[in-house]
Amino acid sequence: MHLVFAFGLLALVLLVSRGWDDPESPRVVPYSHFLDALDAERISEAWISEGAVEWTERPDPDAPRYRSVRVPGSDEVEIVDRLHGMGASITGEWTEEGWGILLLWLLPLGLLVVFWIWFIRRMAGGGQAEALRFGSSKAKIVDDRAPGVSFDDVAGVDEAVTELREVADFLKNREKYTKVGARIPKGVLLVGPTGTGKTLLARATAGEAGVPFFVISGAEFVEMFVGVGAARVRDLFRQAREKAPCIVFIDEIDGLGKVRAGAGSPVSNEEREQTLNQLLVELDGFDATVGVIIMAATNRPDLLDPALQRPGRFDRQVIVDRPDLKGREAILAIHAKRVQLEPDVDLRVVAARTPGFAGAQLANVVNEAALLAVRSNRGSVSMKDLDEAIDRVMAGLERSSRALIPREKEIVSYHEMGHALVSMLLPNTDPVHKVSIVPRGATTLGSTVQTPLEDRYLLTESELRDRLTVLLGGRAAEQLIYGETSTGAADDLRRATELARRMVTQFGMAEGIGPVALDDDRGSIYGGWAPESRRYSEDTTRTVDREVRAAVEAANTRALDLLEANEPLLRDLASDLQESEVMEGVDLARRIAVQSFP
Ligand code: ADP
Ligand code: MG
Ligand code: ZN
């Protein structure tokens, strides 16, 4: 805007200065030329100003116009008299010389100042005018109508859906609630890990209620300029009030409601605080009966400003957690509706292979599988595609470039087959789904995937001891075959030690300690290990260390014994694995059954 103004001025100046060397402008001649013309009485018209004179000469009426600077002190009256005497038409001109010169100097200077101001504002990232424009444009309505999403598109988060159904019902039948005098929720905060469907749930709530859905993300609120975010909040709520009943959804609100921005953050604390305060003002100023419900989502509730969670603000918290086995199967079913599946596909098996996956990852698995099917020119998705898709989603794309050298491949084969074989030979373990020596991601050389039959919340001591043994199976196989171990077992050892330590200190499963809980989980849940959680003596510490080592060593011996007793089988299977790189659990089970009971 300032730019346009500046260019306008520049154009004006150019125009004015152009006027001075117009081709029509008078020809400048010495003053003597004028005096000659005066003497010869050739002048037909004259324009006289204080410092100059312009004239045209007879007899040629088309003759150029002349201009002379007058010699100071020459007698004005005399010139006028003589001109009059020869019958020339005389025009006096009032010069604005002083002003003209001033203008000539001031104009460029003023221009410079204007440009400079504009530039400074620009440097700061945009002027007030720009900021105000942003203030209203970003608080956007995604859709004036309700989003075409319903609770049927969401699965695995039944408790959250139950709560949000009520919210949707309130928006639909407001009178029902107000008549009884029930207090209506004003703000609903969805809390849960990324990808569990918080955004989806908010949209589904609006879709279910059939009301407009306003969405903005917390980060979008906060701007570089103090006051912009607050303006945006005001604007959003003004729009919402006009469209009530409706849902306002603030996604990733932790971007806005952070307790305090770290040093060096590009966004000033002042702006953050002003925006947050405006939001609080709007929340408080709301009469819930208007029919506007504020929803917000976060995966970092710990970063949220406590002020947001006070009564009358986000007074309802809905936990959106990762789905369990049944939930995962249901989510897979929703997303599999959009793709062609081969008849042999069992989504329950896929769900069993994906513990810990959130909805977004499961959606990703289905999509990756469909892409794989397309890539190999098949019309439908097979179980193999899904299997491969899980691996991809889990650990990034298969890294064909990072091939193992043969010797490494051999070691990894023995190692993984060690895990698998020990697992199959022990009674209390999860079935082996697949053994692979295809490197994936940056650090995984091979993998033995075990599929739990169901999500477990309780494990017995014998199950834990078997798990420990399986963890050491890889290393034991290396030891048995090569007489030494490799660095590949580092992660196994770490996990085994961790498990053994918990058995000793938390589950009371060590004889030397007895049924006593020494550590508890609290330390790990509430931000790391707290020194006061270790409340036992040096002596006990030594016993703990000894018991942990004993448990791991016992598991190691057990794994070694098992593998030793089945060494031919181990060698056989490992060399096959080296060949095929991947071995399915069912095939493995068949081989073992044949070998064990010939
Ligand atoms: P969040 O907001 O919790 O990070 P999103 O709602 O953005 O997660 O989820 C991303 C996508 O993952 C959704 O659009 C949907 O396709 C899928 N998804 C996530 N959770 C679920 C679920 N519980 N049921 C069905 N699909 C889901
Ligand atoms: Mg989201
Ligand atoms: Zn291992």
Side-chain angles (χ1 to χ4, degrees), residues 96-227:
E96 276 183 294
E97 228 169 342
W99 277 108
I101 283 173
L102 205 67
L103 210 69
L104 212 68
W105 281 100
L106 276 183
L107 217 60
L109 207 75
L111 247 149
L112 248 154
V113 170
V114 165
F115 179 75
W116 180 67
I117 290 173
W118 170 77
F119 187 73
I120 294 286
R121 289 206 172 181
R122 190 78 238 186
M123 282 298 285
Q128 181 71 6
E130 248 176 320
L132 285 176
R133 192 167 54 74
F134 273 124
S136 51
S137 71
K138 262 207 193 167
K140 61 197 175 236
I141 310 177
V142 154
D143 201 338
D144 224 23
R145 294 157 297 139
V149 185
S150 76
F151 288 135
D152 292 340
D153 300 305
V154 191
V157 283
D158 298 339
E159 282 158 54
V161 168
T162 310
E163 290 220 37
L164 293 176
R165 228 178 251 290
E166 202 182 296
V167 172
D169 188 53
F170 157 70
L171 283 168
K172 257 193 299 197
N173 317 300
R174 250 178 310 160
E175 308 82 47
K176 190 171 92 186
Y177 290 81
T178 42
K179 215 156 60 186
V180 184
R183 203 168 67 82
I184 287 134
K186 194 150 60 167
V188 181
L189 184 64
L190 304 173
V191 180
T194 10
T196 46
K198 297 181 294 296
T199 308
L200 184 68
L201 273 167
R203 296 179 63 81
T205 310
E208 202 76 19
V211 299
F213 184 66
F214 292 72
V215 63
I216 191 163
S217 87
E220 270 179 303
F221 267 138
V222 184
E223 276 293 323
M224 298 293 279
F225 294 102
V226 175

Side-chain angles (χ1 to χ4, degrees), residues 552-591:
V552 178
E553 259 165 16
N556 193 38
T557 312
R558 198 155 157 240
L560 258 176
D561 288 348
L562 269 173
L563 292 175
E564 221 164 3
N566 294 278
E567 194 181 323
L569 182 60
L570 173 67
R571 285 182 183 277
D572 216 24
L573 290 170
S575 79
D576 281 1
L577 178 62
Q578 213 179 321
E579 221 21 51
S580 62
E581 294 197 342
V582 179
M583 212 180 258
E584 295 296 327
V586 274
D587 298 334
L588 205 57
R590 203 172 322 118
R591 296 276 297 273

